[in-house]
Amino acid sequence: KENFDVPIVIIGSGYGGAVSALRLCEAGKKVILLEMGLNWEKAGIPFSNLLKPGKSSAWLKKKSIAPFMNIFPLTPFTGTLDRLDFESINIWVGRGVGGGSLVNGGMAVTPKENYFKEVFPNLDAEKFYNYYFPLVHKELKVNIISEQFLKDCPYYKFTRVGEKEAHKAGFKTIRVPNVYDFRYMEKEFRNEVPRSALNTEVIYGNNYGKNSLDKTYLKKALDTGNLEILDLHRVDTIRMNTDKSYTLQVQQTDTAGTTIAHKIFNCKKLVLSAGTMGTLQLLLHSNAIHDLPLHKHIGKNWGNNGNFMTGRNWVKPLSGGTGARQSTIPVGGIDNWDDAEHPFFTEIAPLPMGMDVATALYLLINRVDKKGEVYYDPTNQSLKLNWDKSNTVKMRENARYFIRKMNQANGGTRSHFLFHNGFGADICYHPLGGCVLGESTDEYGKLKGHENLYILDGSLIPGTIGVNPFVTITAIAEYCIENLIRKNEFSV
Ligand code: FAD
């Protein structure tokens, strides 16, 4: 086995990992970032689009795993999209240099201030709204579609129809910012540049237009000369040594998932940014194998961010369907959060199937009244989740209310074509929590019971944030790493 002694290791190159890498590198620290997925830019392999799933479409699977249209056989490859299947819920995650930013829809939504205060009562909300959120908007290159383009572009008929119908049903709509460059999209439409959002690219990666983390935070971090990213390096276990440093068992794989080298990394400081499920897997598995000390709250306060999918088919297409050609980038949302009885937010999602299926798709985000818990099953050496129908009762009620109101005003039926009974309670894109800030960590993400281990990713957020989460994950990571650096936690 090859042995490496390095000062600082970050595990995972999603939002938490990318922010940590940039700020540590800017502070003059040498950083090694271990990422189990592929560096797609370096590999020079194009991402596939939704209609022709290829190499990038699934993490080492024999069949494509998008929530819909799963008939495509595949040769297993270290693709960008993975699905973790639990008894009552399936969780989709991104893999590759850039983590979830490669696969996600780019919706960059700032949480409502009063809900942020409710979820994080100990954080200085004013500082977040005046400083950290504007900072991450700038770094992530968040922008908004022009109203004129939205009005004119045939690829946004689904949004125009969705908003008109929502208004008719008495709902309020909002414009949703995104990290996809809308100026680029306008050029796509005029055929001046290669197409991506207008060519059914999303969830398996975007070849153009999207400012994913490899184009923003990670690029800036690499430009400092202090960052080395090792892709296709999967960390299997973490051991704490007697001097409170860490030893990591790592497997380097090829793109078929075959191990080509076993490596050991010894590091003084460890930042764990493997995403909610990856971080929990590493902590709980390492606790079982190497007795890694764990605080009693690890795994608790986990939630699906209230994710609940639903859809509508038009029996009598009022507005002539949603359009055969659809941009993959959502720009509209329905904001019912302030309704005391049925609080929810939903994106008006595209369904770019290449034909007019006269169907509307919605990803509702609800409050999480009953949290779940992640724990370790030693027999299968895998994670288990305490999460069942009882956790989603209120979400289902909200979805039912929403669809009923939309149908009463506009016609249509609950979409049995998309989901069994019309409700996708088991689809989760936003796993959050399990290593909650200030519970199992100190106020800046340092794991309790450890001197040199920091958690910086979605697992810090207690299961809910009321909107799509990456803006909040990025802002929390900025806040934590700034304070950790200020406190000289990384002086190695
Ligand atoms: P991640 O981004 O998940 O990054 C973790 C990284 O760690 C991954 O690259 C993973 O490969 C790596 N890793 C894990 N384990 C190991 C290991 N053992 N060794 C080495 N590396 C490891 N959010 C929004 O705000 N807006 C959206 O529009 C949106 N759309 C989404 C659409 C889809 C299909 C999905 C799946 C998610 C979407 N999300 C969206 C959610 C968002 O992408 C995630 O919340 C976010 O990426 C989580 O950030 P993170 O830093 O916690 O970890």
Side-chain angles (χ1 to χ4, degrees), residues 11-17 34-37 81-82 92-101 103-109 178 203 213 233-236 273-276 278-279 281-282 330 347 428-432 456-459 467-471 473:
I11 304 175
S13 62
Y15 293 90
L34 302 175
E35 167 56 56
M36 67 191 276
L81 188 66
D82 200 359
W92 275 264
V93 295
R95 305 232 175 273
V97 172
S101 78
V103 300
N104 67 34
M107 294 173 72
V109 195
N178 205 288
I203 78 170
L213 291 166
H233 279 62
R234 190 186 72 227
V235 181
D236 285 337
S273 302
T276 297
T279 288
Q281 161 74 27
L282 272 168
E347 76 184 76
C428 175
Y429 286 174
H430 304 162
L432 297 172
L456 287 176
D457 61 18
S459 65
V467 291
N468 314 59
F470 74 62
V471 164
I473 296 172

Side-chain angles (χ1 to χ4, degrees), residues 150-154 156-165:
L150 173 57
K151 196 165 147 255
D152 296 342
C153 182
Y156 276 108
K157 184 178 178 195
F158 76 95
T159 304
R160 295 193 298 270
V161 167
E163 290 183 346
K164 209 163 99 193
E165 289 198 329

Side-chain angles (χ1 to χ4, degrees), residues 47-50 53 56-57 64 66 80-81 102-103 202-206:
F47 297 118
S48 32
N49 68 30
L50 265 178
S56 72
S57 65
S64 59
T80 55
L81 188 66
L102 297 176
V103 300
V202 77
I203 78 170
Y204 307 147
N206 285 83

Side-chain angles (χ1 to χ4, degrees), residues 5 46 61 71 115 123 132 140-141 149 242 309 327 339 394 436-437 479 483:
D5 288 326
K61 303 259 194 304
I71 44 168
Y115 197 57
L123 291 181
Y132 293 111
L140 293 169
K141 304 199 170 154
F149 182 59
T242 41
M309 272 212 190
S327 167
D339 177 343
K394 184 65 194 162
V436 171
L437 190 67
Y479 160 77
N483 283 289

Side-chain angles (χ1 to χ4, degrees), residues 358-475:
T359 295
L361 174 67
Y362 309 96
L363 172 60
L364 262 70
I365 297 178
N366 300 273
R367 298 175 74 99
V368 181
D369 298 325
K370 186 179 170 196
K371 301 281 175 68
E373 182 179 349
V374 177
Y375 63 96
Y376 189 74
D377 177 5
T379 20
N380 302 320
Q381 302 209 334
S382 64
L383 294 188
K384 281 263 159 56
L385 202 47
N386 263 335
W387 184 268
D388 57 30
K389 270 189 173 167
S390 68
N391 297 86
T392 55
V393 173
K394 184 65 194 162
M395 304 173 199
R396 182 178 294 267
E397 256 175 60
N398 283 352
R400 197 182 293 276
Y401 164 82
F402 169 62
I403 294 294
R404 200 189 310 121
K405 251 186 111 172
M406 290 292 274
N407 288 343
Q408 273 167 1
N410 301 290
T413 58
R414 206 193 296 163
S415 178
H416 293 260
F417 148 73
L418 290 176
F419 311 101
H420 176 63
N421 282 333
F423 292 134
D426 55 348
I427 296 176
C428 175
Y429 286 174
H430 304 162
L432 297 172
C435 304
V436 171
L437 190 67
E439 285 177 15
S440 43
T441 76
D442 76 356
E443 58 183 328
Y444 303 129
K446 187 202 254 197
L447 195 59
K448 287 183 181 164
H450 291 256
E451 281 177 26
N452 300 304
L453 175 50
Y454 310 88
I455 311 286
L456 287 176
D457 61 18
S459 65
L460 293 173
I461 300 175
T464 169
I465 196 62
V467 291
N468 314 59
F470 74 62
V471 164
T472 311
I473 296 172
T474 312

